[in-house]
């Protein structure tokens, strides 16, 4: 999986990423969604990868995700930030995965 970050997303994430041992984790969060195939993409800040996490190829920040969640995403995606609703956007050339994505500190 290849992830690029827009300049706006880079500016918003830089203060978090300057802290020691911080990784961004793209999570297909199924908590409260009723089924394991119904989920919402979310960004987590974590201190380390788990055994089932793999790294995405990115243009800036280290990003990991669960190997089993790769099926829900495309090979090339972009993370943006929307000032209006103060949230991140996960999108590809084909679709918007989440236009109101949260950044959750799980460290």
């Amino acid at each position: 999986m290849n992830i690029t970050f827009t300049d706006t997303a880079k500016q918003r994430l830089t203060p978090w990423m300057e802290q020691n041992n911080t990784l961004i984790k793209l999570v297909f969060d199924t908590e409260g969604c009723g089924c394991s195939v119904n989920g919402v993409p979310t960004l987590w800040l974590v201190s380390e990868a788990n055994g089932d996490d793999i790294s995405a190829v990115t243009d800036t920040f280290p990003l990991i995700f669960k190997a089993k969640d790769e099926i829900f995403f495309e090979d090339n995606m972009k993370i943006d930030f929307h000032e209006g609703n103060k949230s991140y956007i996960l999108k590809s050339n084909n679709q918007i995965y989440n236009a109101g994505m949260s950044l959750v500190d799980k460290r």
Side-chain angles (χ1 to χ4, degrees), residues 13-102:
L13 288 167
T14 294
W16 295 103
M17 300 311 294
E18 288 175 343
Q19 299 172 15
N20 290 338
N21 301 325
T22 301
L23 298 169
I24 299 170
K25 185 170 184 174
L26 177 60
V27 178
F28 191 73
D29 191 0
T30 58
E31 189 71 31
C33 292
C35 175
S36 64
V37 295
N38 293 329
V40 179
T42 304
L43 295 176
W44 288 0
L45 296 173
V46 296
S47 298
E48 60 187 13
N50 294 329
D52 60 344
D53 290 336
I54 55 177
S55 296
V57 175
T58 71
D59 63 338
T60 310
F61 304 117
L63 185 137
I64 57 174
F65 59 97
K66 288 183 182 178
K68 71 176 188 71
D69 291 344
E70 191 169 17
I71 192 169
F72 298 113
F73 302 113
E74 293 178 51
D75 289 337
N76 296 296
M77 296 187 300
K78 184 179 289 188
I79 294 176
D80 196 0
F81 184 82
H82 188 269
E83 289 291 340
N85 62 6
K86 303 290 186 215
S87 63
Y88 294 88
I89 303 164
L90 179 66
K91 57 188 174 181
S92 71
N93 288 339
N94 298 314
Q95 66 180 315
I96 295 174
Y97 286 85
N98 189 349
M101 199 163 49
S102 301

